[in-house]
Amino acid sequence: NAGVMQNPRHLVRRRGQEARLRCSPMKGHSHVYWYRQLPEEGLKFMVYLQKENIIDESGMPKERFSAEFPKEGPSILRIQQVVRGDSAAYFCASSSVAITNTGELFFGEGSRLTVL
Amino acid sequence: EDKVVQSPLSLVVHEGDTVTLNCSYEVTNFRSLLWYKQEKKAPTFLFMLTSSGIEKKSGRLSSILDKKELFSILNITATQTGDSAVYLCAVGHNAGGTSYGKLTFGQGTILTVHP
């Protein structure tokens, strides 16, 4: 049973380019969360999605960041016009309906974005 | 603003030592407290605590929650080099009558176990 799959694992972009990070949740999980981990800091919630719906995007920066979880395919976190401060590890997590209430999440191995 | 604070930030011990990691929190709509272990990749789930005073145990690891004093501890006995990792504490929230995986994380405790 594959876990949460994220790709790419490492991504290098120059300032002003776009970054797209993909996440396939665990089989049977319909809830996806994106977290960001800046150097020397803890994980920070960004957005919570279910299929075709954004449930809570209170942690997303107001500009340049967007997320989607289409009916088919992986969830995508998109960062437009990247800046150096976007360099971080972006973790995706998933949960099933049954465990959502407990807050227990299953994390992917992260996508490490470096902006030059 | 919701806050989760872990201490110490880093800890260096030798194999066989016992360690205690601390996590205090000030959050709205508390639902659960979770501990994760993060090696150089995905955080992996250790414990979830919802009730005060009930110890959760898994092998050499154990954890307890105090909802009155708003803190939790994670104990690791007879530490091994494989316990070296970042230990993350997180709080799960109720939101609008339901709850979901919006967790507020502490900054982590870096544990290093020397042979």
Side-chain angles (χ1 to χ4, degrees):
Chain A
N1 189 14
V4 178
M5 304 300 291
Q6 289 189 247
N7 67 83
R9 294 290 310 281
H10 300 275
L11 183 63
V12 179
R13 284 285 178 267
R14 296 191 179 280
R15 279 179 297 170
Q17 292 184 318
E18 178 179 288
R20 281 188 184 228
L21 310 176
R22 286 174 290 278
C23 168
S24 296
M26 278 182 74
K27 189 174 179 182
H29 286 191
S30 56
H31 303 245
V32 164
Y33 315 83
W34 286 93
Y35 283 78
R36 176 165 65 173
Q37 188 172 38
L38 293 166
E40 311 295 322
E41 292 187 21
L43 290 155
K44 296 275 194 278
F45 169 81
M46 298 182 75
V47 62
Y48 161 44
L49 310 108
Q50 295 178 23
K51 285 282 187 185
E52 300 184 281
N53 279 308
I54 297 174
I55 307 301
D56 183 345
E57 57 182 348
S58 58
M60 289 276 271
K62 294 283 185 279
E63 296 174 350
R64 302 185 298 106
F65 284 72
S66 62
E68 62 176 9
F69 189 15
K71 189 176 177 183
E72 303 289 338
S75 175
I76 294 174
L77 180 68
R78 182 180 176 211
I79 312 171
Q80 296 178 289
Q81 299 174 335
V82 296
V83 301
R84 288 217 174 105
D86 297 333
S87 296
Y90 292 83
F91 285 91
C92 174
S94 72
S95 68
S96 71
V97 173
I99 64 174
T100 287
N101 280 345
T102 66
E104 178 184 347
L105 302 181
F106 294 85
F107 282 86
E109 297 198 347
S111 291
R112 278 155 180 81
L113 172 66
T114 302
V115 180
L116 300 177
Chain B
E1 186 184 333
D2 294 334
K3 201 166 28 172
V4 177
V5 177
Q6 292 184 245
S7 65
L9 292 181
S10 66
L11 192 52
V12 180
V13 300
H14 286 94
E15 273 193 319
D17 289 349
T18 293
V19 298
T20 298
L21 310 183
N22 304 292
C23 175
S24 63
Y25 60 92
E26 287 179 41
V27 301
T28 53
N29 299 318
F30 174 90
R31 182 170 186 92
S32 56
L33 187 139
L34 300 97
W35 285 95
Y36 284 85
K37 177 182 180 183
Q38 185 178 23
E39 297 168 271
K40 288 185 180 176
K41 37 190 180 177
T44 52
F45 173 79
L46 294 175
F47 295 112
M48 187 197 66
L49 303 144
T50 55
S51 301
S52 274
I54 298 174
E55 186 184 50
K56 290 271 181 107
K57 228 174 142 53
S58 175
R60 296 176 294 102
L61 278 67
S62 63
S63 183
I64 198 159
L65 173 67
D66 186 327
K67 288 167 76 172
K68 185 179 173 188
E69 300 297 329
L70 307 183
F71 78 91
S72 173
I73 60 171
L74 175 69
N75 280 319
I76 309 175
T77 58
T79 51
Q80 301 170 358
T81 54
D83 295 327
S84 296
V86 178
Y87 289 84
L88 299 169
C89 172
V91 170
H93 304 268
N94 281 319
T98 63
S99 64
Y100 52 84
K102 179 179 179 179
L103 303 178
T104 299
F105 279 86
Q107 71 276 53
T109 293
I110 303 170
L111 174 65
T112 304
V113 182
H114 287 310

